[in-house]
Amino acid sequence: MTDPYDAERSREPQDLAGLQHRLARFAAARNWQPYHTPKNLVAALSVEASELLEIFQWLTPEESVRVMDDPDTAHRVSDEVADVLAYLLQLCEVLGVDPLAALAAKIDRNERRFPVGEPPHG
């Protein structure tokens, strides 16, 4: 049986900071903060990324493109993506990293490093 509160909440507009605060409140309400060290969060992030990889592991490139066509597999992919993002956001919160600023800075560096029209460097 689905919880209508969960379905209603998932339709609310979301922003990154709001989700980070929601994750922090979730952990605090369960007294999980002592376990949310950078080391533990990175380990959990790695495990969840591996679980996402596991879904794709033996698929051909063509099958991987169609992975969201199967509802059961699409649900698994969505859940694992959510787990990866949740641990990444919690890690950023603990370390004081602004994930959007970090990504923007990385894109800026990559645009300078890999100019349009130049072959990739090795």
Side-chain angles (χ1 to χ4, degrees), residues 18-67:
L19 290 171
Q20 277 183 294
H21 292 132
R22 192 168 162 200
L23 286 165
R25 286 191 309 272
F26 181 89
R30 290 153 181 82
N31 297 315
W32 288 354
Q33 305 99 315
Y35 308 106
H36 285 192
T37 64
K39 176 192 151 305
N40 288 349
L41 291 169
V42 168
L45 174 60
S46 176
V47 168
E48 295 302 340
S50 294
E51 290 178 7
L52 179 59
L53 172 62
E54 184 180 29
I55 297 167
F56 292 87
Q57 184 174 7
W58 301 114
L59 299 180
T60 65
E62 297 77 19
E63 290 168 331
S64 72
V65 170
R66 296 187 309 272
V67 75

Side-chain angles (χ1 to χ4, degrees), residues 102-116 118 121:
L103 179 56
K106 181 66 174 186
I107 293 169
D108 290 345
R109 286 192 305 277
N110 283 341
E111 287 173 339
R112 288 189 302 276
R113 187 173 169 203
F114 303 105
V116 174
E118 286 192 17
H121 329 139

Side-chain angles (χ1 to χ4, degrees), residues 67-106:
V67 75
M68 299 305 279
D69 293 347
D70 175 66
D72 289 336
T73 305
H75 179 73
R76 289 178 52 219
V77 168
S78 294
D79 273 357
E80 296 308 335
V81 165
D83 288 341
V84 168
L85 183 57
Y87 280 115
L88 182 59
L89 291 177
Q90 290 173 90
L91 177 65
C92 287
E93 179 83 12
V94 166
L95 294 177
V97 172
D98 177 339
L100 295 180
L103 179 56
K106 181 66 174 186

